Amino acid sequence: MTMIESENNIMQVGSRIDCSGHIGTIKYMGCLEGYSSTWLGIDWDDPKRGKHNGHHNGKQYFEASFQTSGTFVRPEKVELGQSIISSIMKRYGKKDNVSIAQDFQQELLYFQQCINAPFLEMVGFEKVLDKQSNFDSLQVVDLRKQKISSAGKNNQLKDLCPNIKELDLSLNLISSWEIVFQICKQLDQLCWLNVSENLLTIPANIEDFNLPTVETLICTKMRLTWEDILKVTLAFPNITELRVPFNNIKNLDTPSEILKNLKVLDIEDNEIGEWSEICKLSTLENLEELFVGNVGLKKIEFIGHKPKVDTFLKLKKLAISNNLIDNWDSVSQLNRMKNLEELRFIKNPVLEQESEASRFEIIVARIGNLKVLNGTDLKPYMRREAEYDYMKIYGLEWLRVCNTPEREQFIRSHNRFLELIDMYGEPDEGELVTKPQSISNTLIELRFEHEGKVVTKKLPKTIVVQKLVMLAQKFFKLSYRPNLIHIRGEASNLQINLEEQREIGFYSMQDGDRILISHE
């Protein structure tokens, strides 16, 4: 094998290199027909960076990952990596270099935004800088984009920084998981590891490595299949949190003996497509949080007809936004999960059929155990109003079919309607409303009341409470910013304090509802 030694590093086929900020893998070293000296065939990580797929003048010198990710360059144009020891010495060795730390903080923020990954924790730079000269005090270490390619000499890292707990190795020049393992096995307290944006080969003897302290592993944009991930996690037997968005995950066959301790799994932005694949993760008996946004799901459907399914028994949180779900039956299916309490469900086609307030009510009414929806804590009055309004909207349809053969189809389409009848009683036809074709285009008439004075105003359901506050100040010439209290109609005694950032439709307001103006 052709090799070139450069600055104590060996350049060879398989080495990861940097060239003017672009990262690639050496796939060929040798002569190039028509040119003198040695050339490198580079397969760039960015498929648009190169010019070909590894051929020149009709001859194939190497296989590139993409049709346009290959390039030939001179060896002197590329940089080899450095050891993690050199990186730490440069990164944390100068106590007065605050600007460097701030640059890295900005890079990490940019990385978070690019991959939509707010779960990545920001390193506490200002705290770390105070301890830079004392390497053994470092616990949270950010080495993103530092051109690291090796673990250094045996136990050198352990001697220098024995107390590292969180380590970010993302976007470096590491070529193999074996190098990652060599680094991690020196850190007895390591519990959080990010190796994102590194293209790593998996050693055949993966079973020989054991890193029991690592609980969180982040592997974003690494071209990993689910099979690859399951192999790698053999070296991390105690993982409780696994983040693998933006990879090559398509099928999710998961043996029951794998990832026994996993509680949090993020597989967003992978081309999975089918809910049946997601259900294969039910072998993860301790899974509590599952993130499956932007994976191409069109519907959600559990097998069988039991009211509750015996899968995902510990799952409490599900994030399923940015998919292709276009039917409310899929939302109803989530009610079959025994312990689902928190749901993130935005940017799906089915939501475009309703206003923001209406879609909120429908989801709450269809999933009985839900306690948090899209970040909003569901207080008892919010659930009660959502369910009651849901019954009013669909009550006329129920009364029409309840004694006909169409009854069963209605119950299948409105999964909790009989349960709601048990809770609130049979719908009274005199209180029911005809569901408008476009709720968002309707106006509601509200009564603003202050010290015996009343102002009536028709307003759209999409207006925010903050605007109501401004209107109240104008109507009653108030010198202070009032609090607003919502009362349903004339007869209700239930008072609800309005939050300024909400749309009024969120509170299911109807014609004739009262808005009390309060100084408190």
Side-chain angles (χ1 to χ4, degrees):
M1 178 184 293
T2 302
M3 294 187 296
I4 298 175
E5 187 168 348
S6 174
E7 297 182 2
N8 300 319
N9 288 309
I10 301 298
M11 181 184 295
Q12 57 188 340
V13 171
S15 293
R16 301 277 284 161
I17 56 89
D18 181 281
C19 181
S20 301
H22 297 276
I23 295 177
T25 302
I26 298 176
K27 290 295 187 75
Y28 171 78
M29 297 180 65
C31 297
L32 192 61
E33 184 177 343
Y35 295 89
S36 60
S37 302
T38 298
W39 286 79
L40 305 179
I42 307 297
D43 185 14
W44 300 106
D45 290 3
D46 181 356
K48 299 178 182 179
R49 168 67 177 166
K51 299 179 180 179
H52 50 72
N53 64 352
H55 71 274
H56 174 69
N57 286 344
K59 181 179 179 180
Q60 192 80 39
Y61 288 85
F62 65 94
E63 292 287 340
S65 300
F66 303 92
Q67 288 298 311
T68 57
S69 62
T71 303
F72 292 102
V73 299
R74 292 285 193 180
E76 59 268 19
K77 296 288 186 179
V78 306
E79 291 183 69
L80 293 174
Q82 61 179 336
S83 72
I84 190 172
I85 303 300
S86 298
S87 175
I88 291 175
M89 296 293 288
K90 294 175 183 177
R91 173 71 180 81
Y92 293 103
K94 294 183 179 180
K95 189 168 184 175
D96 59 345
N97 204 337
V98 178
S99 62
I100 293 179
Q102 292 173 338
D103 288 343
F104 279 96
Q105 186 179 28
Q106 189 61 38
E107 285 180 6
L108 184 55
L109 178 61
Y110 175 74
F111 172 62
Q112 288 174 303
Q113 294 170 341
C114 285
I115 69 170
N116 190 25
F119 55 82
L120 295 181
E121 298 180 9
M122 297 296 290
V123 174
F125 290 93
E126 68 286 347
K127 295 180 181 179
V128 171
L129 285 168
D130 291 337
K131 302 178 180 180
Q132 281 182 337
S133 60
N134 188 7
F135 290 105
D136 62 8
S137 68
L138 289 174
Q139 295 185 5
V140 180
V141 174
D142 170 32
L143 298 177
R144 173 175 169 77
K145 204 174 180 181
Q146 293 297 289
K147 302 177 184 177
I148 296 169
S149 62
S150 71
K153 297 179 181 179
N154 287 340
N155 292 324
Q156 195 173 7
L157 177 60
K158 183 174 183 178
D159 294 337
L160 181 67
C161 305
N163 297 310
I164 294 177
K165 294 182 178 180
E166 299 185 15
L167 179 61
D168 187 344
L169 293 174
S170 60
L171 198 59
N172 276 288
L173 303 182
I174 303 170
S175 61
S176 168
W177 277 102
E178 188 166 0
I179 296 172
V180 174
F181 299 151
Q182 291 170 1
I183 291 172
C184 294
K185 71 179 182 181
Q186 300 181 59
L187 305 174
D188 296 335
Q189 299 184 48
L190 185 66
C191 60
W192 187 96
L193 176 64
N194 183 7
V195 291
S196 298
E197 297 183 275
N198 289 293
L199 302 184
L200 307 176
T201 59
I202 302 175
N205 61 333
I206 189 77
E207 296 86 355
D208 296 340
F209 299 94
N210 185 33
L211 302 168
T213 63
V214 176
E215 296 179 354
T216 298
L217 178 63
I218 303 173
C219 303
T220 302
K221 291 185 177 180
M222 297 178 65
R223 302 181 189 173
L224 296 170
T225 66
W226 186 241
E227 292 81 1
D228 294 335
I229 292 164
L230 295 183
K231 287 180 184 177
V232 168
T233 54
L234 292 174
F236 302 94
N238 295 319
I239 285 180
T240 60
E241 181 176 357
L242 178 62
R243 305 274 185 176
V244 287
F246 293 97
N247 276 291
N248 294 337
I249 300 172
K250 294 184 178 180
N251 71 76
L252 290 166
D253 294 311
T254 308
S256 58
E257 66 273 12
I258 296 292
L259 298 171
K260 298 292 288 184
N261 300 309
L262 195 67
K263 294 182 178 180
V264 180
L265 176 61
D266 179 356
I267 52 174
E268 294 194 333
D269 298 283
N270 283 284
E271 296 180 9
I272 297 170
E274 299 294 333
W275 180 252
S276 58
E277 291 296 327
I278 303 298
C279 287
K280 293 178 180 179
L281 298 172
S282 62
T283 57
L284 304 174
E285 296 180 352
N286 290 302
L287 193 64
E288 296 179 3
E289 300 181 20
L290 178 59
F291 298 80
V292 287
N294 195 30
V295 297
L297 294 178
K298 295 181 180 179
K299 67 177 181 178
I300 300 169
E301 185 175 16
F302 288 104
I303 296 174
H305 300 288
K306 291 182 179 180
K308 298 292 182 180
V309 293
D310 295 323
T311 56
F312 295 116
L313 294 181
K314 293 187 178 181
L315 193 69
K316 296 180 179 180
K317 180 177 181 179
L318 178 64
I320 200 163
S321 299
N322 295 288
N323 278 289
L324 305 174
I325 298 169
D326 60 1
N327 62 92
W328 287 113
D329 287 345
S330 289
V331 176
S332 296
Q333 286 286 314
L334 297 178
N335 188 60
R336 300 177 67 189
M337 300 174 71
K338 291 183 178 180
N339 293 298
L340 183 64
E341 296 180 352
E342 182 173 352
L343 178 67
R344 186 74 178 172
F345 190 82
I346 61 174
K347 296 183 180 179
N348 278 281
V350 65
L351 301 174
E352 298 173 4
Q353 304 170 15
E354 307 288 347
S355 69
E356 182 176 352
S358 184
R359 68 184 67 149
F360 183 91
E361 291 178 349
I362 292 172
I363 296 172
V364 172
R366 286 176 178 258
I367 307 177
N369 291 334
L370 216 55
K371 295 180 179 179
V372 182
L373 175 57
N374 296 333
T376 297
D377 291 331
L378 299 178
K379 297 179 174 59
Y381 79 84
M382 296 167 67
R383 171 164 287 283
R384 183 169 59 252
E385 288 200 352
E387 292 173 340
Y388 187 69
D389 285 349
Y390 184 85
M391 288 187 68
K392 290 198 328 183
I393 291 173
Y394 294 101
L396 286 176
E397 185 180 350
W398 162 251
L399 293 177
R400 181 180 63 82
V401 304
C402 63
N403 295 316
T404 73
E406 298 177 56
R407 168 191 170 98
E408 293 305 316
Q409 178 58 45
F410 180 91
I411 292 173
R412 284 194 294 270
S413 298
H414 302 275
N415 59 308
R416 294 186 65 231
F417 208 85
L418 293 182
E419 181 183 343
L420 298 181
I421 289 176
D422 289 339
M423 294 167 59
Y424 302 110
E426 192 78 22
D428 184 345
E429 187 170 358
E431 296 181 354
L432 302 181
V433 298
T434 303
K435 188 176 186 293
Q437 292 183 350
S438 181
I439 296 177
S440 61
N441 291 331
T442 63
L443 299 177
I444 53 176
E445 187 174 90
L446 301 177
R447 286 168 50 92
F448 292 81
E449 301 180 7
H450 175 63
E451 296 181 350
K453 298 180 180 179
V454 177
V455 175
T456 302
K457 188 75 172 178
K458 286 189 175 182
L459 298 167
K461 287 188 175 184
T462 55
I463 192 172
V464 295
V465 174
Q466 185 179 33
K467 293 286 184 65
L468 292 193
V469 172
M470 298 171 63
L471 287 174
Q473 288 177 303
K474 179 180 178 181
F475 293 157
F476 302 106
K477 299 180 180 179
L478 303 177
S479 60
Y480 58 89
R481 190 173 187 84
N483 292 323
L484 304 186
I485 300 172
H486 171 227
I487 299 179
R488 174 64 58 81
E490 291 287 347
S492 175
N493 293 319
L494 180 63
Q495 298 187 0
I496 300 171
N497 289 309
L498 302 182
E499 301 176 20
E500 290 198 7
Q501 72 274 18
R502 300 281 190 195
E503 293 182 358
I504 64 174
F506 176 81
Y507 297 97
S508 306
M509 296 184 187
Q510 303 292 333
D511 284 342
D513 284 3
R514 302 155 62 199
I515 305 295
L516 302 187
I517 313 302
S518 171
H519 198 305
E520 298 179 355

